[in-house]
Amino acid sequence: MRPTVHDIAAEAEVSLATVDRVLNNRPGVRKVTRDKVERAIATLGYIRDVAAANLAKSRSYPLIFILPEGENAFMRGLEAEVQSARARSAVERTDITILSVPAFDGSALADALDDARRRGPAGVAVVAVEAPQVVAAVGRLRADGIAVVTLVSDLTGSERDHFAGVDNIAAGRTAGSLMRRFLGGRDGPVAIVAGSMLVRDHRDRLEGFSAAVNEGVAKRHLLSVVEGHDDPSEVEKLVQDLLASHADLAGIYSLGAGNRGMIAALERAGRQSEICAIAHELTPYSRAALVSGTIDALLNQDAGHEVRSAIRVLKARADGLSMIEAQERIRIDIFLKDNLPVEPA
Amino acid sequence: MRPTVHDIAAEAEVSLATVDRVLNNRPGVRKVTRDKVERAIATLGYIRDVAAANLAKSRSYPLIFILPEGENAFMRGLEAEVQSARARSAVERTDITILSVPAFDGSALADALDDARRRGPAGVAVVAVEAPQVVAAVGRLRADGIAVVTLVSDLTGSERDHFAGVDNIAAGRTAGSLMRRFLGGRDGPVAIVAGSMLVRDHRDRLEGFSAAVNEGVAKRHLLSVVEGHDDPSEVEKLVQDLLASHADLAGIYSLGAGNRGMIAALERAGRQSEICAIAHELTPYSRAALVSGTIDALLNQDAGHEVRSAIRVLKARADGLSMIEAQERIRIDIFLKDNLPVEPA
DNA sequence: GAATTTTTGATGTACGTAAATCAAAAATGC
DNA sequence: GCATTTTTGATTTACGTACATCAAAAATTC
């Protein structure tokens, strides 16, 4: 049987109340007594029963998630993950609210952050857009003692407690490395389609890709980046134009969302097998394209992991606890059609 | 505030005792009353507070893990994960024992399973070796009502409740697909090094690889499989021989353990950059080789995920509950040097 | 309609911790 | 050595559920 507070009290020859004072850092305990209790804790190997502690505290964590609107399939998947975290609220003692804001709109996001602040939550998770107003709004939240975690896209120069997302420079490098190896000796330029250079994750991916695709000897020509604002129809038009003006196009790297558009353009042009396409995020559309061969490789960040990590960090920060860095690192998954996970039910 | 048993009692206009009888399927409740209570549960959206329930029950789950001995780095990593699950025993109410058996030895494994059976655990997780005695021993455990999960390597024809591991045919396919694309138009045969054809996971990987590496047009010559029994020095000798007898070797697929040997042989021959090497499992050795470029790609199964999944399933089965299939599926990770996770502390 | 069985209610204890109160004891200041 | 402050002890209630006991009420049987 694992030791309880009663065992500590007996071992240290003090009362239960004193043990409680030591365990919960309450004042009014002499140094000698405190040491005595801590020695007892160490010798018995006492571990606090968090389930019982939470039960007794009946603490709850009001959290707010701020996500971009729009038909971006990855973001909708992310929202679904937040919803399913909400379903676990009972067990995890969280109380999650979701706020939606227009995508790529710094001032709207800043307003939403201020709105969140007025609600007085324990923590806020936000998909960041890089803008001075946003940095300022995050500062106000932090000043109020509200924990802030950036989700998926980080915010340079802000006082956020943590970034729950992948290393996007490494993700870009991975894409570049795959592109280089998959193209092998083949000629032709490579096109890059981004969502917006206003978000940090897209800028980082571009940086990593550019460096890795030309590592080694052969220098491959990279066309200048086009921005599709994560909108399928806009992306489709852009890719259509790229295909028309570059008959020798060897590869496309889509580093943002709106892949539906790229897929449609490639397939309508009938050039899906000759062009090596690498994209981000596993969605129903990109999955189908990977299976059919239109897309050659997909990089993915697990939205479920990111949401759960964000919640863990926010709860820890709200309690003034530290986090286990290694545990909160989000991996970059590579999917080929051969290692696709089974379709979610 | 989420509803409690008291709220249900009030809503259904019955006593707390009756609610308890319904919730825990105790006898002595009329159908009409039971329905009334169940309606109250539904309308209030009551969810049992598992933390409080476990606290009240003070239930514990004695589990036994049976792992192969030897200096197989993956297996030692797996054992470390079981150890760290042991450290969480307090929270998870588990009581984990580890038994070690010689690798690739069916009768020793069967003996260990019988030993486990005598200890009367709630569940057993085992890295299987395919042998009739093992199948029979698993049958005896199941007959005693002990839950059994195969770990990493499955057991054909057995009555195990679940397999906590990756789809190794898909893993082999993924390796084959990468090999094909990385080699591109280059000539030369590909060698395959396995641990033993006695374990299901190695046989499955071979099957998948053979199919995928020659998908499409060009037929690449595959040398016949050699078995290194997951032993680094044995593998080193085998690879040394392969290199000596095949000056035009284009690729090596190492589908088992003992990669240290392969790495050493490749580097001593100075042919690490001309030969495309694909291997399994991220260990300190394989990681270093991936970074240096000796290994081109690593497939990995997350041992931590597998252990945690096995524990979840064993606990659920011990309680006669069902599991969420999708949640327990273990992914196949692909690592290039560009998307390597940071070194564990 | 009495005797029997089944169903329900009332109540208490337990799990391990948190948190509060009030009294008693010990340490400190002067 | 007295008054004051600080430290400690003893005790109680609470969190939400599980589980047991005994009595009371209702339903069933004959």
Tab-separated table of all heavy atoms in Angstrom, chain B residues 67-86:
chain	number	residue	atom	x	y	z
B	67	LEU	N	9.386	-9.586	-21.708
B	67	LEU	CA	10.222	-8.975	-22.745
B	67	LEU	C	11.453	-9.830	-23.007
B	67	LEU	O	11.951	-10.512	-22.105
B	67	LEU	CB	10.677	-7.583	-22.280
B	67	LEU	CG	9.597	-6.617	-21.784
B	67	LEU	CD1	10.232	-5.332	-21.282
B	67	LEU	CD2	8.616	-6.317	-22.894
B	68	PRO	N	11.994	-9.777	-24.247
B	68	PRO	CA	13.203	-10.540	-24.550
B	68	PRO	C	14.449	-9.891	-23.954
B	68	PRO	O	14.562	-8.669	-23.902
B	68	PRO	CB	13.262	-10.520	-26.080
B	68	PRO	CG	12.483	-9.327	-26.483
B	68	PRO	CD	11.426	-9.123	-25.435
B	69	GLU	N	15.385	-10.739	-23.519
B	69	GLU	CA	16.665	-10.258	-23.020
B	69	GLU	C	17.569	-9.866	-24.186
B	69	GLU	O	17.173	-9.970	-25.338
B	69	GLU	CB	17.383	-11.388	-22.270
B	69	GLU	CG	16.642	-11.927	-21.080
B	69	GLU	CD	17.234	-13.247	-20.598
B	69	GLU	OE1	18.130	-13.780	-21.297
B	69	GLU	OE2	16.784	-13.732	-19.556
B	70	GLY	N	18.808	-9.495	-23.872
B	70	GLY	CA	19.797	-9.232	-24.923
B	70	GLY	C	20.036	-7.758	-25.129
B	70	GLY	O	19.328	-6.913	-24.589
B	71	GLU	N	21.055	-7.452	-25.964
B	71	GLU	CA	21.441	-6.049	-26.090
B	71	GLU	C	20.769	-5.358	-27.272
B	71	GLU	O	21.284	-4.402	-27.837
B	71	GLU	CB	22.968	-5.917	-26.179
B	71	GLU	CG	23.625	-6.857	-27.150
B	71	GLU	CD	25.117	-6.547	-27.317
B	71	GLU	OE1	25.493	-5.372	-27.160
B	71	GLU	OE2	25.880	-7.472	-27.606
B	72	ASN	N	19.596	-5.827	-27.632
B	72	ASN	CA	18.778	-5.180	-28.646
B	72	ASN	C	18.332	-3.808	-28.121
B	72	ASN	O	17.550	-3.704	-27.175
B	72	ASN	CB	17.578	-6.096	-28.893
B	72	ASN	CG	16.595	-5.554	-29.899
B	72	ASN	OD1	16.481	-4.349	-30.061
B	72	ASN	ND2	15.892	-6.447	-30.557
B	73	ALA	N	18.823	-2.754	-28.755
B	73	ALA	CA	18.590	-1.409	-28.223
B	73	ALA	C	17.104	-1.050	-28.184
B	73	ALA	O	16.639	-0.384	-27.255
B	73	ALA	CB	19.346	-0.373	-29.058
B	74	PHE	N	16.369	-1.507	-29.185
B	74	PHE	CA	14.934	-1.201	-29.173
B	74	PHE	C	14.247	-1.843	-27.978
B	74	PHE	O	13.439	-1.220	-27.292
B	74	PHE	CB	14.276	-1.666	-30.470
B	74	PHE	CG	12.777	-1.521	-30.439
B	74	PHE	CD1	12.188	-0.272	-30.550
B	74	PHE	CD2	11.953	-2.625	-30.249
B	74	PHE	CE1	10.806	-0.123	-30.498
B	74	PHE	CE2	10.575	-2.484	-30.194
B	74	PHE	CZ	10.005	-1.234	-30.321
B	75	MET	N	14.589	-3.106	-27.723
B	75	MET	CA	13.954	-3.814	-26.614
B	75	MET	C	14.330	-3.196	-25.268
B	75	MET	O	13.513	-3.124	-24.358
B	75	MET	CB	14.346	-5.295	-26.640
B	75	MET	CG	13.704	-6.076	-27.777
B	75	MET	SD	11.877	-5.986	-27.745
B	75	MET	CE	11.479	-6.711	-29.344
B	76	ARG	N	15.566	-2.732	-25.184
B	76	ARG	CA	15.967	-2.070	-23.932
B	76	ARG	C	15.208	-0.750	-23.767
B	76	ARG	O	14.833	-0.355	-22.667
B	76	ARG	CB	17.480	-1.840	-23.889
B	76	ARG	CG	18.319	-3.140	-23.905
B	76	ARG	CD	18.234	-3.966	-22.622
B	76	ARG	NE	16.955	-4.556	-22.295
B	76	ARG	CZ	16.441	-5.663	-22.855
B	76	ARG	NH1	17.087	-6.323	-23.775
B	76	ARG	NH2	15.271	-6.102	-22.480
B	77	GLY	N	14.972	-0.073	-24.888
B	77	GLY	CA	14.165	1.146	-24.838
B	77	GLY	C	12.735	0.827	-24.423
B	77	GLY	O	12.124	1.551	-23.632
B	78	LEU	N	12.234	-0.282	-24.948
B	78	LEU	CA	10.884	-0.718	-24.596
B	78	LEU	C	10.807	-0.984	-23.091
B	78	LEU	O	9.863	-0.565	-22.410
B	78	LEU	CB	10.544	-1.988	-25.380
B	78	LEU	CG	9.109	-2.488	-25.310
B	78	LEU	CD1	8.188	-1.566	-26.094
B	78	LEU	CD2	8.997	-3.912	-25.862
B	79	GLU	N	11.823	-1.675	-22.578
B	79	GLU	CA	11.845	-1.971	-21.149
B	79	GLU	C	11.875	-0.674	-20.331
B	79	GLU	O	11.199	-0.565	-19.306
B	79	GLU	CB	13.062	-2.836	-20.806
B	79	GLU	CG	13.091	-3.220	-19.332
B	79	GLU	CD	14.103	-4.328	-19.041
B	79	GLU	OE1	14.676	-4.903	-19.990
B	79	GLU	OE2	14.304	-4.601	-17.838
B	80	ALA	N	12.649	0.293	-20.818
B	80	ALA	CA	12.691	1.583	-20.117
B	80	ALA	C	11.306	2.219	-20.076
B	80	ALA	O	10.916	2.830	-19.075
B	80	ALA	CB	13.688	2.513	-20.807
B	81	GLU	N	10.558	2.054	-21.156
B	81	GLU	CA	9.207	2.622	-21.190
B	81	GLU	C	8.295	1.899	-20.199
B	81	GLU	O	7.447	2.517	-19.570
B	81	GLU	CB	8.616	2.526	-22.598
B	81	GLU	CG	9.254	3.480	-23.602
B	81	GLU	CD	8.981	4.943	-23.268
B	81	GLU	OE1	8.069	5.221	-22.469
B	81	GLU	OE2	9.700	5.814	-23.807
B	82	VAL	N	8.481	0.586	-20.077
B	82	VAL	CA	7.681	-0.158	-19.095
B	82	VAL	C	8.055	0.313	-17.688
B	82	VAL	O	7.191	0.517	-16.832
B	82	VAL	CB	7.900	-1.679	-19.229
B	82	VAL	CG1	7.086	-2.413	-18.183
B	82	VAL	CG2	7.522	-2.157	-20.619
B	83	GLN	N	9.341	0.533	-17.484
B	83	GLN	CA	9.788	1.038	-16.182
B	83	GLN	C	9.157	2.396	-15.875
B	83	GLN	O	8.753	2.654	-14.745
B	83	GLN	CB	11.318	1.183	-16.149
B	83	GLN	CG	12.071	-0.143	-16.132
B	83	GLN	CD	11.910	-0.906	-14.821
B	83	GLN	OE1	11.157	-0.489	-13.932
B	83	GLN	NE2	12.580	-2.037	-14.712
B	84	SER	N	9.082	3.244	-16.896
B	84	SER	CA	8.537	4.564	-16.586
B	84	SER	C	7.022	4.477	-16.401
B	84	SER	O	6.423	5.293	-15.692
B	84	SER	CB	8.959	5.600	-17.634
B	84	SER	OG	8.130	5.529	-18.752
B	85	ALA	N	6.396	3.473	-17.024
B	85	ALA	CA	4.982	3.235	-16.741
B	85	ALA	C	4.831	2.763	-15.293
B	85	ALA	O	3.858	3.092	-14.615
B	85	ALA	CB	4.418	2.187	-17.700
B	86	ARG	N	5.808	1.994	-14.847
B	86	ARG	CA	5.808	1.529	-13.459
B	86	ARG	C	5.853	2.694	-12.499
B	86	ARG	O	5.227	2.681	-11.438
B	86	ARG	CB	7.049	0.677	-13.215
B	86	ARG	CG	6.760	-0.781	-13.078
B	86	ARG	CD	8.031	-1.491	-12.741
B	86	ARG	NE	7.994	-1.952	-11.375
B	86	ARG	CZ	8.858	-2.828	-10.881
B	86	ARG	NH1	9.817	-3.304	-11.645
B	86	ARG	NH2	8.760	-3.206	-9.641
